[in-house]
Amino acid sequence: MSLIVSDVRKDYPTRSGPLPVLGGVSLRLEHGEAVAVMGPSGSGKSTLLHILGTLDTPTGGTVSLDGVDPFGLKPAELAAFRNRRIGFVFQDHHLLPQASVLENVLVPTFVNRSLPKAEAQAYARELLVKVGLSGRLTHRPAELSGGERQRVAVARALIHKPLLLLADEPTGNLDRTNAESVGRLLLDLHKQQNTMLVVVTHSQDLAKLFPRKLEMNDGKLT
């Protein structure tokens, strides 16, 4: 199982013509590998991550995840593929404020019912133990610290045991202590689940935890 990105390009239309954001990005990631992508604001890091997560469509090039071209799927098939195969952790946790910690982790399973309810609940509880929140299952997001909310987001991203875990500035809103804790947690759980992990970050402290680091400049990876 692998992620293969070949010559991916992304242009955005403007009044003065196409604005290139990605200028031919290629990347290969094997099962169990992790990579940190760094670079200045506007370099194309988040655009690349959104394409890998099928939240945006490339102008050119190809993406293959486990032998599947997601952009060749019909909309309903793509939504199901994204839900089951890809996990997301964003800078803002995007937790549902009215839902409990346990319910928030279970949200992806409400969309795709392929996982039996009892099995999903048991695994959600197991994940919350792993992220150190076994005593917070019934709490609402407003009752949690910033670091705790991001831990819930990590557990939610892993509920379907995705092939690919994507994180966009996952420690950007955290203080240094919580940032290091969440960064190490991401790597530890990635290793336990044997996923492929791609993290976009400005943080040198987070990037140095990764065995492989890439730099994005002017829409190209180096």
Side-chain angles (χ1 to χ4, degrees):
M1 288 181 283
S2 59
L3 169 69
I4 303 172
V5 180
S6 301
D7 195 31
V8 162
R9 301 179 301 283
K10 181 64 180 181
D11 299 335
Y12 289 104
T14 69
R15 290 181 179 180
S16 56
L19 173 66
V21 177
L22 296 180
V25 171
S26 295
L27 169 68
R28 186 179 183 112
L29 207 61
E30 300 297 336
H31 206 216
E33 285 190 319
V35 62
V37 179
M38 301 193 70
S41 296
S43 62
K45 304 186 306 298
S46 290
T47 299
L48 173 62
L49 205 72
H50 288 170
I51 289 174
L52 297 183
T54 73
L55 299 175
D56 203 351
T57 306
T59 306
T62 61
V63 175
S64 172
L65 177 59
D66 193 25
V68 176
D69 171 10
F71 301 108
L73 300 175
K74 295 177 181 178
E77 294 172 334
L78 177 58
F81 179 85
R82 183 190 304 123
N83 179 262
R84 290 303 310 271
R85 299 294 190 179
I86 304 171
F88 297 91
V89 181
F90 298 101
Q91 182 171 346
D92 295 315
H93 49 78
H94 297 304
L95 300 181
L96 299 177
Q98 73 278 18
S100 69
V101 164
L102 181 60
E103 290 166 341
N104 267 289
V105 174
L106 287 167
V107 163
T109 70
F110 300 155
V111 178
N112 188 323
R113 294 288 185 177
S114 60
L115 196 63
K117 184 176 179 179
E119 186 178 330
Q121 289 220 0
Y123 189 55
R125 291 172 184 274
E126 180 183 330
L127 284 170
L128 287 166
V129 170
K130 289 181 177 180
V131 301
L133 293 175
S134 58
R136 294 280 198 270
L137 270 61
T138 60
H139 287 63
R140 300 293 187 269
E143 300 173 292
L144 305 178
S145 68
E148 287 172 332
R149 287 193 288 267
Q150 201 64 319
R151 287 169 176 268
V152 178
V154 171
R156 179 184 59 193
L158 292 169
I159 188 65
H160 275 313
K161 301 180 181 179
L163 293 176
L164 178 62
L165 180 60
L166 303 173
D168 192 358
E169 299 287 359
T171 62
N173 287 339
L174 304 177
D175 60 56
R176 187 166 185 171
T177 299
N178 275 310
E180 181 175 358
S181 177
V182 168
R184 292 189 182 280
L185 176 68
L186 265 173
L187 279 164
D188 288 346
L189 291 178
H190 140 75
K191 290 173 184 175
Q192 289 177 28
Q193 290 204 355
N194 202 29
T195 64
M196 292 174 279
L197 172 62
V198 181
V199 171
V200 159
T201 182
H202 281 102
S203 169
Q204 293 280 356
D205 289 335
L206 177 58
K208 73 183 181 183
L209 300 176
F210 283 73
R212 184 179 174 194
K213 291 170 280 294
L214 297 173
E215 185 85 15
M216 179 77 84
N217 277 301
D218 297 324
K220 291 186 179 292
L221 275 180
T222 56

